[in-house]
């Protein structure tokens, strides 16, 4: 590392201690609310690349940056579970109840009141969600070409080797 790089590194570490560490509670709240890493770095007033670097170093086990990595992971846990649950629900289908307000009118078209109705609606399973779920949870069984694994195991690559063509020389020249 050259002498010119050291002040930048020290400045980045200083930014981490000044702008990130004191606001880990905010980072947790923002992450739980669905903010992405770029938005969080902007809210903290630090560069996105520096923020990603600190996060990576924390994930890689560097002790001083570990709190940031833990907070981000903790904040993403609940939203990730909610998205997984929604994907599963969409994959298997579900029933929902919609509330509909109907306006009542007399024979002359004058409004006489409103009626609130609760209408049950079936949402059918979504094939794309099913496929996504199966390919991610059971990739060996649900990959695009399940025979590919067997062929790969047997050393077959799908490439056909052709024998060289022997050409006869003609006396034309």
């Amino acid at each position: 590392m050259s002498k010119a790089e050291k002040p930048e590194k020290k400045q980045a570490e200083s930014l981490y201690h000044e702008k990130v560490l004191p606001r880990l509670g905010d980072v947790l709240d923002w992450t739980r609310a669905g903010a992405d890493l770029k938005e969080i770095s902007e809210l903290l007033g630090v560069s996105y690349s520096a923020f990603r670097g600190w996060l990576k170093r924390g994930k890689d086990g560097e002790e001083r940056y570990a709190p940031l990595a833990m907070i981000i992971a903790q904040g993403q846990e609940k939203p990730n579970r909610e998205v997984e649950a929604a994907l599963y629900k969409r994959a298997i289908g579900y029933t929902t109840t919609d509330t509909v307000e109907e306006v009542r009118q007399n024979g002359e078209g004058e409004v006489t009141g409103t009626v609130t109705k609760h209408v049950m609606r079936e949402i059918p399973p979504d094939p794309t969600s099913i496929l996504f779920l199966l390919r991610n949870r059971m990739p060996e069984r649900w990959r695009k070409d399940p025979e590919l694994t067997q062929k790969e195991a047997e050393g077959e690559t799908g490439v056909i080797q052709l024998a060289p063509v022997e050409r006869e020389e003609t006396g034309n020249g």
Side-chain angles (χ1 to χ4, degrees):
M1 184 180 306
S2 71
K3 290 181 181 180
E5 291 178 85
K6 287 184 180 178
E8 283 182 17
K9 185 175 180 180
K10 229 173 177 44
Q11 185 180 10
E13 287 180 21
S14 176
L15 277 175
Y16 175 76
H17 289 286
E18 290 172 18
K19 294 192 171 199
V20 178
L21 279 181
R23 300 196 64 195
L24 287 178
D26 292 332
V27 171
L28 179 61
D29 292 341
W30 296 330
T31 306
R32 284 182 175 157
D36 63 27
L37 298 179
K38 187 168 186 150
E39 292 168 330
I40 293 171
S41 67
E42 289 170 1
L43 289 165
L44 291 170
V46 297
S47 76
Y48 179 50
S49 60
F51 187 77
R52 279 193 345 246
W54 297 326
L55 184 58
K56 181 182 180 329
R57 291 164 74 181
K59 286 178 181 178
D60 290 345
E62 199 168 323
E63 195 172 316
R64 82 181 87 173
Y65 301 107
L68 176 62
M70 288 188 303
I71 287 292
I72 294 289
Q74 184 181 349
Q76 291 174 339
E77 188 177 313
K78 185 178 179 217
N80 288 349
R81 279 196 322 265
E82 290 171 352
V83 168
E84 287 174 352
L87 174 64
Y88 179 77
K89 187 176 176 181
R90 195 66 187 102
I92 64 170
Y94 60 97
T95 302
T96 185
T97 304
D98 294 334
T99 304
V100 179
E101 297 237 352
E102 288 185 0
V103 176
R104 298 285 175 152
Q105 298 176 339
N106 62 18
E108 295 155 10
E110 296 173 345
V111 175
T112 59
T114 60
V115 176
T116 302
K117 290 185 178 182
H118 299 286
V119 180
M120 291 186 70
R121 194 166 49 110
E122 289 287 324
I123 306 298
D126 175 48
T128 303
S129 298
I130 293 168
L131 193 58
F132 183 83
L133 197 66
L134 291 173
R135 282 191 178 160
N136 281 284
R137 289 195 176 182
M138 296 182 272
E140 307 80 33
R141 225 170 127 188
W142 290 95
R143 65 190 299 171
K144 286 184 181 178
D145 185 359
E147 293 179 18
L148 191 58
T149 305
Q150 180 67 24
K151 289 176 183 175
E152 288 171 349
E154 295 171 1
E156 294 181 32
T157 62
V159 175
I160 300 171
Q161 297 287 332
L162 300 175
V165 177
E166 292 182 25
R167 298 179 186 242
E168 291 183 23
E169 301 234 358
T170 61
N172 293 346

